[in-house]
Amino acid sequence: MTPSLNHVAIIMDGNGRWAKKQNQERTFGHFHGVEKVREISMAANDEGIKVLTLYAFSTENWKRPLQEVEYLMQLPAMFFSKYLKELMEKNIRIETIGDLAPFPDNTKKVLMNAIEETSHNTGMILVFAMNYGGRTEIVEAAKKYQSAVMNGSMKDPLTEINFEQFLMTKDYPPVDLCIRTSGEQRLSNFLLWQLAYSELVFTMTAWPELSVEEFRDLLKVGLSRERRFGGLV
Ligand code: IPE
Ligand code: IPE
Ligand code: MG
C-alpha cells in the first residue's frame, strides 16, 4: 500500500485516439474507458486513497458531435448497472462535482441513485466530475459567497480558507496528485483552484490502456516528489 495519498485526481484522456488507432469509432474508446474506471477505482481503493476524483465530462465537452455526447451520457448507466454492487461491497461512496442539470433525466436519475445508495458507505469517496469546469466552479463559489454576505449568514471577510468552503470540493482533502493520461500536458479547466500546489504527473499511455501496475508507479512518482509549497527544505 502506498502511504499518505489522501486525494488523487485523474484527467482520463485519450479514449478517442486510442480507438482510432485500432480503426474503431471513438465510442469504442469510451466503452473501454468505463471498464478502466472500474479497474483503477478498485486499485485506488486497495492503495488506501481516501478520495479519487475522475474528470469524466467537462463543461467544454458539449462542443463534441451530438452522437458522441449522447453516447457519453449513457456511460453512467452502463457503469453503475455493472458495478454498483461491487462498489457497495467495497464500501465506496459515490459523489459528483459539476452541474448535473443539463444532463438527460435518466443520466441524472442513475447518478442520484448511485449517490443515494452509497451515501452511508464510509470507505473511499469516488467523485465523478461531470459537466465540471474549474472556472465555472470559482465563479459559482464567488456568487454563493456574495449571497451569503447579502443574507447575513457570512460575516467573515473573504479569505482563501473561507472561500474554499464555497467550492464543490469543500468536503475533500487537498489534491496531492493529479495524473493525466494520453500525453497532453494541460489542465483543460480541471480543479483550477485545487491543483495550485498538487503534483502533476503525465503519462503517454491512453486511459483505456493504463494498467494497474503503471497507475501504482505514477502514484509513486507523485509521492517521491519533494513538495516545498513555496518554502525551503
Ligand atoms: C477522454 O478521452 C474522455 C472524455 C473527454 C470524455 P477523449 O474523448 O478526450 O479522447 P481523445 O483525447 O480525443 O483521444
Ligand atoms: C479533458 O479532456 C476532459 C476530460 C477528460 C473529461 P479533453 O480531451 O476534453 O481536453 P482537451 O480538449 O484535450 O483540452
Ligand atoms: Mg481528449
Side-chain angles (χ1 to χ4, degrees):
M1 197 185 274
T2 321
S4 63
L5 278 171
N6 286 320
H7 190 169
V8 173
I10 307 182
I11 303 173
M12 308 182 289
D13 197 18
N15 294 355
R17 281 165 287 160
W18 176 81
K20 284 283 162 201
K21 247 200 224 161
Q22 301 168 71
N23 291 319
Q24 299 279 355
E25 295 297 319
R26 291 177 55 83
T27 49
F28 177 83
H30 297 315
F31 177 84
H32 285 274
V34 169
E35 297 304 307
K36 196 51 71 174
V37 167
R38 185 230 153 235
E39 197 182 336
I40 296 297
S41 302
M42 294 306 162
N45 184 54
D46 292 343
E47 290 293 319
I49 289 167
K50 296 193 177 60
V51 180
L52 179 69
T53 300
L54 301 178
Y55 204 8
F57 192 88
S58 76
T59 47
E60 287 72 32
N61 287 148
W62 297 106
K63 293 180 198 158
R64 295 188 179 196
L66 184 62
Q67 186 225 357
E68 180 168 344
V69 171
E70 282 176 351
Y71 187 82
L72 291 168
M73 296 298 138
Q74 292 168 28
L75 298 182
M78 197 187 287
F79 179 75
F80 290 115
S81 64
K82 278 188 185 166
Y83 301 124
L84 189 56
K85 191 166 169 279
E86 190 180 11
L87 293 163
M88 288 302 289
E89 282 161 12
K90 295 271 160 83
N91 196 24
I92 293 172
R93 192 155 98 220
I94 300 297
E95 296 193 347
T96 60
I97 53 172
D99 179 14
L100 299 185
F103 286 134
D105 285 346
N106 188 52
T107 310
K108 274 190 276 202
K109 205 170 112 194
V110 161
L111 287 165
M112 296 319 288
N113 179 60
I115 292 168
E116 171 66 27
E117 289 265 319
T118 62
S119 62
H120 299 293
N121 291 351
T122 53
M124 187 179 85
I125 305 175
L126 177 56
V127 184
F128 288 97
M130 303 280 301
N131 190 26
Y132 172 87
R135 287 179 175 173
T136 300
E137 180 189 29
I138 292 168
V139 170
E140 289 304 315
K143 286 188 194 160
K144 281 187 219 149
Y145 173 81
Q146 188 185 31
S147 2
V149 170
M150 306 271 268
N151 72 25
S153 59
M154 169 54 82
K155 298 209 164 41
D156 304 331
L158 186 56
T159 62
E160 289 184 12
I161 299 288
N162 63 36
F163 186 68
E164 282 181 341
Q165 298 315 305
F166 294 90
L167 293 173
M168 293 165 181
T169 51
K170 62 180 166 42
D171 298 325
Y172 310 138
V175 181
D176 302 298
L177 168 67
C178 177
I179 295 170
R180 183 168 187 152
T181 58
S182 90
E184 309 298 352
Q185 302 196 358
R186 56 177 169 260
L187 297 181
S188 301
N189 206 9
F190 190 42
L191 299 176
L192 298 181
W193 175 286
Q194 296 84 346
L195 296 182
Y197 263 107
S198 310
E199 295 302 327
L200 306 176
V201 177
F202 302 99
T203 173
M204 292 305 292
T205 308
W207 173 250
E209 61 179 4
L210 181 71
S211 67
V212 168
E213 292 68 33
E214 185 181 357
F215 173 62
R216 290 205 191 104
D217 288 343
L218 296 171
L219 297 180
K220 282 191 201 119
V221 170
L223 266 171
S224 67
R225 303 247 182 97
E226 189 182 86
R227 302 182 74 187
R228 290 190 286 276
F229 300 99
L232 303 175
V233 173

